[in-house]
């Protein structure tokens, strides 16, 4: 029974890659040492995969595997190589706007980032123009393949398929990117040849677009591509994941590849049909272990299902996780502080490899050969199913009692607007920030010491208050209009709320890469969720006491709490979301009662929860927007509700966004040069908008002119009276000097705009 994985987390169990990268960017680590950290991570990951029949190569990346692919294909924006430096310098220029070689100068525009399909992983969008050409640079892959061979591993290179690669990218000149396919496929042909020559037997070619609705032209592109690649000497495993194939099923099976991988967690219902339609010479790789969640698999149930399939397909059946393990943390064994019962329900990447091993042995040698493992697994599954900690009747009852009325403001926006205007007294082009301010070492150290019990509540509170004082004073000095307290008490916008809610569990090392060196540690929703008491009120009221200006309360919305947590798989996501919406509604109303009249409810992750198939969107949006409304809309008219969204390309969902009825929405736009605002050409968004004018994902400081320019572009689409001026996201990852300089430019720009 061949076993494999589609990819392994690259950041390291203790985020070793993050540490090395950040030291390298700062100039504290030579390039060679970065390379050797990367190499030892790869080797360690391969060693962990030793029980598999082949290890994955090419899944490791210093920043992003899509950007890697762009470099492999020679599709490198010219601004990356315009100034001197190594290939690595060029790489980081596109990744993050500057390289080690640029430390003393300004950088370049970083590549646009967007979410990888329906995950919270961000990739760097490939850039195309009608003149784009491709040329092979296979060094990275070949070197890593050689490394794996040297370690004595059977290795399977992993690459993004040409059609998905085009689909992920963006034509900067609005040309038709599909026209590039004939130039692209020959380079893939060379790549496959090179990998074959280097000893690869199989290559995994990811075409996850096969789980989306494809029009005829995309299908034609896939067909042309794989017909051409069919003559390659290396065997191809076409990999799909994150959903069902549906109307693409026969089409995908008919493409001339040597095997196909499907997501048999989300797409389990299709497996019988796939097995029936599978061409006799094709391998079927079933992704039976959930690569998107952290629960143990029910191995006995899986075996009941897989045994007949194994008999039927013989060695044409391969086993794998559903998708790359990039989306789960590395090792649950590190979690010694976690509640032992809850921990016993979990499987991170390392444990998922072990589940694969157990399945493999059970299917080839019989269940007896792994009886202890199976018994342990059955015990954990049973314990989770029956635990009283999972079910809370009061919460279930409150959810049943939700009414539509609870999600409605008292008056329409136009009336609220006047009341809020009188109360808040804001200028035209009001300025604000998205919530967090730089999280310095001191802040992080204080939080850590508090968590470890080395700092008592009083001392901790004092330190946080001191930080809030600084942040408020700086904002006053800058002349911002709506202030924030800076969120020093939050390590993470989801984890922070999770720790104050019942039904949530936390890991210490459960990091998942979000982009580049940035990781998130999604909390785990294991049971019914409720709020034992106020969470943010004391911080926000303290901050408000320091200023005459409006202080914006800052919360994470229910949909984002859900989408950025590992969720229960024993009830629908919609149900978990409703529970969260009630808990956060209580917090909103408590803030209002405490005198906070501007409240931002971040829904940074609303969009990424969209199903990959459009046919399922309205169902998701219905419950997601309804949940947000339950949280936000119980307030009085004078209370101004803001919401914030990151990377929101919401052309297709703008009606749902408007339906949330937030008074103000702040969004990401700066990396895309306000293109994201095109949507407002056709849809007149009724409320206020703050298009982000400061790219906080880059250390570069936006000039006054560039901000004025961006805002002018915005004002072409949205009336100036309804525009806000703000960064495109929170500032917590930035350092103070660049933050102050950027915000100063932002305030100056707003003043200029008002003058005009
Ligand atoms: N309020 C959060 C912050 O400023 C929002 C972050 C986000 O949208 N990702 O950090
Ligand atoms: Zn954001």
């Amino acid at each position: 029974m061949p076993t494999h994985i589609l990819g392994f987390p690259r950041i390291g169990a203790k985020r070793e890659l993050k540490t090395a990268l950040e030291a390298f960017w700062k100039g504290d680590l030579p390039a060679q040492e970065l390379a050797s950290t990367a190499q030892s991570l790869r080797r360690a990951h391969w060693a962990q995969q030793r029980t598999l029949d082949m290890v994955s190569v090419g899944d490791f990346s210093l920043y992003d595997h899509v950007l890697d692919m762009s470099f492999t294909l020679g599709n490198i924006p010219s601004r990356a190589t315009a100034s001197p430096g190594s290939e690595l310098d060029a790489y980081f220029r596109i990744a993050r706007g500057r390289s080690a070689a640029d430390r003393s100068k300004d950088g370049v525009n970083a590549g646009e980032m967007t979410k990888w399909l329906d995950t919270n992983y961000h990739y760097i969008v490939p850039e195309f123009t009608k003149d784009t050409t491709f040329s092979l640079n296979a060094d990275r892959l070949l070197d890593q393949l050689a490394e794996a061979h040297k370690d004595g591993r059977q290795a399977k290179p992993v690459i993004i398929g040409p059609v998905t690669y085009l689909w992920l990218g963006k034509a900067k000149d609005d040309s038709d990117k599909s026209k590039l396919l004939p130039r692209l496929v020959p380079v893939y042909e060379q790549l496959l040849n090179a990998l074959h020559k280097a000893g690869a037997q199989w290559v995994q070619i990811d075409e996850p677009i096969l789980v989306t609705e494809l029009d005829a032209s995309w299908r034609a592109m896939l067909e042309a591509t794989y017909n051409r690649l069919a003559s390659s000497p290396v065997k191809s495993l076409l990999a799909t994941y994150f959903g069902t194939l549906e109307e693409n099923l026969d089409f995908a099976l008919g493409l001339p590849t040597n095997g196909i991988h499907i997501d048999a967690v989300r797409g389990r219902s299709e497996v019988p049909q796939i097995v029936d339609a599978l061409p006799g010479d094709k391998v079927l790789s079933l992704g039976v272990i959930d690569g998107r969640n952290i629960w143990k698999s029910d191995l006995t149930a899986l075996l009941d299902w897989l045994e007949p399939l194994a008999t039927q397909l013989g060695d044409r059946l391969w086993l794998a996780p559903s998708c790359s393990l990039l989306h789960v943390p590395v090792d649950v064994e590190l979690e010694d502080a976690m509640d032992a019962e809850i921990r016993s329900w979990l499987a991170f990447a390392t444990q998922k490899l072990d589940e694969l091993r157990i399945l493999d042995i059970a299917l080839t040698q019989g269940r007896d050969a792994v009886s202890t493992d199976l018994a342990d697994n059955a015990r954990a599954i049973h314990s989770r199913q029956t635990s009283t900690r999972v079910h809370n009747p009061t919460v279930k009852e409150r959810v049943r009692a939700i009414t539509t009325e609870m999600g409605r403001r008292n008056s329409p926006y136009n009336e609220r607007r006047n009341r809020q205007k009188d109360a808040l007294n804001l200028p035209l082009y009001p300025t604000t920030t998205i919530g967090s301010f730089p999280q310095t070492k001191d802040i992080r150290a204080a939080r850590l010491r508090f968590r470890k019990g080395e700092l008592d509540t009083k001392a901790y509170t004092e330190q946080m208050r001191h930080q809030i004082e600084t942040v408020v004073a700086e904002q006053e000095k800058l002349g911002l209009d709506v202030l924030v307290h800076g969120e020093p008490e939050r390590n993470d916008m989801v984890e922070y709320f999770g720790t104050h809610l019942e039904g949530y569990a936390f890991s210490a090392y459960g990091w998942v890469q979000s982009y580049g060196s940035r990781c998130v540690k999604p909390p785990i929703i294991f049971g019914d969720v409720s709020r034992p008491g106020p969470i943010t009120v004391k911080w926000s009221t303290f901050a408000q006491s320091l200023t005459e200006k409006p202080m914006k309360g800052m919360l994470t919305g229910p949909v984002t709490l859900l989408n950025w947590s590992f969720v229960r798989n024993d009830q629908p996501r919609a149900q978990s979301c409703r529970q969260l919406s009630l808990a956060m509604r209580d917090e909103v109303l408590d803030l209002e009662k405490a005198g906070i009249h501007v409240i931002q409810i971040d829904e940074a992750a609303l969009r990424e929860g969209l199903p990959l198939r459009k046919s399922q969107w309205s169902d998701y949006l219905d419950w997601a927007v309804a949940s947000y409304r339950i949280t936000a809309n119980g307030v009085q008219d004078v209370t101004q509700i803001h919401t914030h969204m990151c990377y929101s390309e919401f052309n297709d969902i703008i009606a749902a966004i408007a339906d949330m009825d937030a008074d103000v929405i702040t969004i990401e736009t700066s990396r895309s040069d306000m293109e994201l605002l095109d949507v407002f050409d056709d849809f007149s968004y009724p409320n206020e908008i703050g298009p982000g004018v400061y790219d906080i994902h880059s250390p570069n400081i936006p000039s006054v002119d560039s901000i004025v320019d961006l805002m002018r572009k915005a004002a072409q689409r949205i009336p100036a009276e309804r525009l806000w001026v703000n960064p495109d996201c929170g500032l917590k990852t930035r350092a103070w000097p660049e933050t102050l300089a950027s915000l100063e430019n932002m305030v100056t720009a707003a003043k200029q705009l008002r003058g005009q």
Side-chain angles (χ1 to χ4, degrees):
M1 170 84 37
T3 51
H4 71 120
I5 60 172
L6 278 65
F8 197 77
R10 38 183 96 121
I11 206 77
K14 297 203 164 160
R15 291 184 298 167
E16 293 84 347
L17 182 59
K18 173 194 178 70
T19 311
L21 278 172
E22 290 176 359
F24 172 70
W25 293 333
K26 260 199 227 142
D28 295 345
L29 191 82
Q32 275 144 300
E33 279 178 47
L34 175 63
S36 87
T37 302
Q39 189 186 48
S40 48
L41 281 167
R42 287 191 294 267
R43 297 185 62 186
H45 300 159
W46 291 329
Q48 281 192 267
Q49 295 170 55
R50 67 186 168 270
T51 54
L52 306 180
D53 290 275
M54 51 198 137
V55 304
S56 292
V57 167
D59 53 338
F60 182 87
S61 174
L62 285 176
Y63 201 96
D64 166 42
H65 58 278
V66 181
L67 186 61
D68 290 353
M69 205 65 219
S70 290
F71 273 70
T72 301
L73 298 168
N75 180 27
I76 305 166
S78 55
R79 63 183 187 283
T81 44
S83 35
S86 62
E87 184 180 309
L88 196 61
D89 287 320
Y91 181 82
F92 287 130
R93 275 185 200 122
I94 300 307
R96 57 190 291 274
R98 60 170 62 199
S99 68
D102 301 336
R103 262 193 304 277
S104 55
K105 353 186 224 11
D106 289 341
V108 300
N109 286 334
E112 197 180 320
M113 269 197 302
T114 198
K115 306 249 178 196
W116 172 245
L117 300 148
D118 64 348
T119 73
N120 181 29
Y121 173 84
H122 304 73
Y123 71 93
I124 303 286
V125 177
E127 297 176 23
F128 305 123
T129 67
K130 66 177 194 343
D131 301 321
T132 298
T133 54
F134 303 95
S135 61
L136 182 64
N137 179 355
D139 292 353
R140 173 187 58 91
L141 273 168
L142 294 176
D143 290 351
Q144 294 181 18
L145 188 59
E147 249 173 40
H149 287 155
K150 213 168 104 206
D151 278 5
R153 318 270 172 207
Q154 265 283 16
K156 174 200 63 180
V158 174
I159 59 177
I160 297 170
V163 188
T164 291
Y165 179 76
L166 281 181
W167 187 88
L168 294 168
K170 182 161 160 182
K172 288 285 172 181
D173 56 359
D174 283 328
S175 60
D176 176 2
K177 60 186 177 179
S178 68
K179 295 249 156 61
L180 300 175
L181 190 69
R183 289 181 217 161
L184 183 56
V185 176
V187 179
Y188 269 86
E189 222 168 9
Q190 293 166 20
L191 175 59
L192 294 181
N193 282 331
L195 292 171
H196 176 70
K197 242 212 222 125
Q201 285 179 18
W202 282 89
V203 175
Q204 171 191 321
I205 310 178
D206 288 9
E207 293 284 9
I209 61 168
L210 281 161
V211 307
T212 68
E213 287 128 337
L214 294 173
D215 64 24
S217 69
W218 285 103
R219 279 189 184 217
M221 288 163 73
L222 283 160
E223 206 153 23
T225 300
Y226 288 93
N227 283 337
R228 169 107 187 232
L229 296 182
S231 55
S232 155
V234 74
K235 288 187 182 164
S236 54
L237 180 72
L238 181 70
T240 71
Y241 39 82
F242 300 155
T244 44
L245 292 168
E246 301 193 21
E247 74 285 356
N248 299 328
L249 189 148
D250 289 318
F251 173 75
L253 291 177
L255 290 172
T257 64
N258 303 90
I260 185 165
H261 170 88
I262 64 142
D263 183 331
V265 175
R266 293 191 176 175
R268 173 154 176 181
S269 58
E270 281 185 336
V271 172
Q273 210 186 328
I274 290 173
V275 171
D276 278 349
L278 189 73
D281 53 353
K282 225 177 230 205
V283 157
L284 176 62
S285 163
L286 282 186
V288 296
I289 289 165
D290 195 349
R292 293 289 296 274
N293 215 332
I294 42 62
W295 304 108
K296 272 188 183 159
S297 311
D298 183 342
L299 296 178
T300 305
L302 279 178
L303 286 171
D304 291 345
W305 174 46
L306 292 171
E307 278 163 352
L309 287 176
T311 312
Q312 188 182 345
L313 293 171
D315 62 5
R316 287 198 297 138
L317 179 65
W318 292 16
L319 286 189
S322 58
C323 59
S324 166
L325 297 174
L326 179 64
H327 311 290
V328 292
V330 178
D331 189 0
V332 84
E333 288 299 320
L334 296 174
E335 304 295 335
D336 14 310
M338 196 188 282
D339 176 283
E341 186 185 14
I342 294 172
R343 193 182 57 199
S344 77
W345 302 340
L346 306 181
F348 292 177
T350 304
Q351 288 67 43
K352 288 175 193 285
L353 292 177
D354 202 46
E355 291 186 343
L356 214 45
R357 175 191 66 86
I358 298 167
L359 288 176
D360 179 18
I361 297 177
L363 288 168
T364 47
Q365 302 167 32
R367 297 190 196 196
D368 284 350
V370 279
S371 54
T372 321
D373 289 316
L374 290 178
D376 287 348
N377 175 263
R379 230 182 339 268
I381 299 295
H382 180 76
S383 138
R384 180 170 166 230
Q385 276 165 356
T386 53
S387 172
T388 51
R389 300 164 70 184
V390 173
H391 302 281
N392 177 340
T394 321
V395 174
K396 293 196 203 297
E397 186 42 45
R398 255 193 104 188
V399 168
R400 257 194 299 273
I402 288 178
T403 61
T404 333
E405 217 29 60
M406 287 165 69
R408 258 188 224 133
R409 297 290 294 262
N410 297 331
S411 313
Y413 166 75
N414 284 330
E415 289 169 35
R416 301 194 311 256
R417 174 180 168 83
N418 295 330
R419 297 200 183 120
Q420 291 166 16
K421 239 180 140 179
D422 293 344
L424 298 172
N425 197 19
L426 297 172
L428 193 63
Y429 289 107
T431 53
T432 191
T433 60
I434 306 305
S436 57
F437 265 73
Q439 295 227 334
T440 55
K441 271 205 189 77
D442 288 353
I443 300 179
R444 283 198 296 267
R447 273 201 318 259
L448 185 69
R449 292 182 55 212
F450 178 54
R451 216 180 52 227
K452 287 188 174 159
E454 293 164 20
L455 208 60
D456 64 15
T457 307
K458 188 162 164 277
Y460 171 72
T461 305
E462 238 155 63
Q463 288 208 27
M464 291 298 120
R465 284 186 164 209
H466 176 68
Q467 179 60 25
I468 292 171
E469 281 163 358
T470 311
V471 167
V472 172
E474 291 295 351
Q475 293 174 89
E476 295 257 17
K477 243 195 279 168
L478 286 161
L480 287 154
D481 299 305
V482 171
L483 312 194
V484 297
H485 79 287
E487 306 179 22
E489 77 287 6
R490 304 181 193 178
N491 46 346
D492 173 274
M493 64 189 285
V494 172
E495 187 178 84
Y496 174 72
F497 287 96
T499 38
H500 291 84
L501 296 172
E502 296 288 341
Y504 261 104
F506 302 88
S507 61
Y509 297 99
W511 298 104
V512 179
Q513 189 178 18
S514 172
Y515 68 93
S517 67
R518 306 293 313 170
C519 299
V520 292
K521 190 147 52 76
I524 298 160
I525 305 178
F526 68 87
D528 291 335
V529 174
S530 60
R531 188 194 73 142
I535 303 170
T536 63
V537 177
K538 61 175 187 288
W539 304 119
S540 289
T541 50
F542 173 70
Q544 182 66 84
S545 76
L546 301 171
T547 177
E548 297 290 309
K549 299 238 171 121
M551 177 58 56
K552 184 158 66 164
M554 198 61 57
L555 307 176
T556 305
V559 188
T560 299
L561 288 174
L562 182 86
N563 286 346
W564 283 351
S565 298
F566 287 115
V567 295
R568 291 168 68 169
N569 56 0
D570 61 345
Q571 74 179 17
R573 283 163 70 218
Q575 191 65 1
S576 301
C577 199
R578 284 184 202 106
Q579 296 180 356
L580 286 161
S581 78
L582 288 170
M584 297 311 290
R585 176 186 175 91
D586 295 346
E587 185 69 12
V588 169
L589 295 177
D590 280 345
L591 277 173
E592 185 183 47
K593 228 185 287 161
I596 302 298
H597 293 302
V598 183
I599 301 171
Q600 178 173 310
I601 301 161
D602 292 325
E603 284 294 15
L606 190 132
R607 192 190 188 284
E608 78 186 40
L610 278 175
L612 286 167
R613 285 181 172 274
K614 285 206 169 149
S615 57
Q616 295 160 5
W617 282 18
S618 65
D619 176 56
Y620 165 76
L621 288 170
D622 282 352
W623 61 255
V625 171
S627 294
Y628 168 86
R629 291 178 62 121
I630 295 292
T631 295
N633 291 354
V635 295
Q636 305 298 311
D637 286 350
V638 297
T639 300
Q640 186 173 67
I641 294 286
H642 290 219
T643 189
H644 166 71
M645 299 185 175
C646 315
Y647 308 114
S648 296
E649 285 165 348
F650 29 54
N651 295 42
D652 324 284
I653 59 164
I654 186 67
I657 302 290
D659 199 34
M660 292 163 68
D661 201 19
D663 297 301
V664 183
I665 177 172
T666 56
I667 54 180
E668 191 275 349
T669 41
S670 57
R671 269 199 193 186
S672 65
D673 201 24
M674 293 283 154
E675 265 171 47
L676 294 177
L677 291 184
D678 287 351
V679 57
F680 299 108
D681 291 342
D682 303 322
F683 182 92
S684 77
Y685 184 77
N687 307 358
E688 293 161 49
I689 303 185
V693 289
Y694 160 20
D695 172 11
I696 65 87
H697 302 90
S698 156
N700 299 340
I701 296 165
S703 67
V704 175
D705 287 349
S706 75
I707 297 172
V708 169
D709 193 51
L710 285 172
M711 287 308 299
R712 285 227 187 89
K713 284 188 182 148
Q716 285 161 8
R717 284 124 162 160
I718 297 143
E721 311 77 67
R722 289 201 263 120
L723 283 174
W724 287 64
V725 184
N726 45 261
D728 67 1
C729 199
L731 302 164
K732 73 174 194 183
T733 60
R734 300 271 56 98
W736 270 108
E738 76 216 35
T739 299
L740 290 177
S742 301
L743 293 178
E744 192 179 315
N745 288 353
M746 203 182 84
V747 173
T748 308
K751 287 188 180 142
Q752 272 187 28
L753 288 159
R754 284 170 205 154
Q756 288 158 11

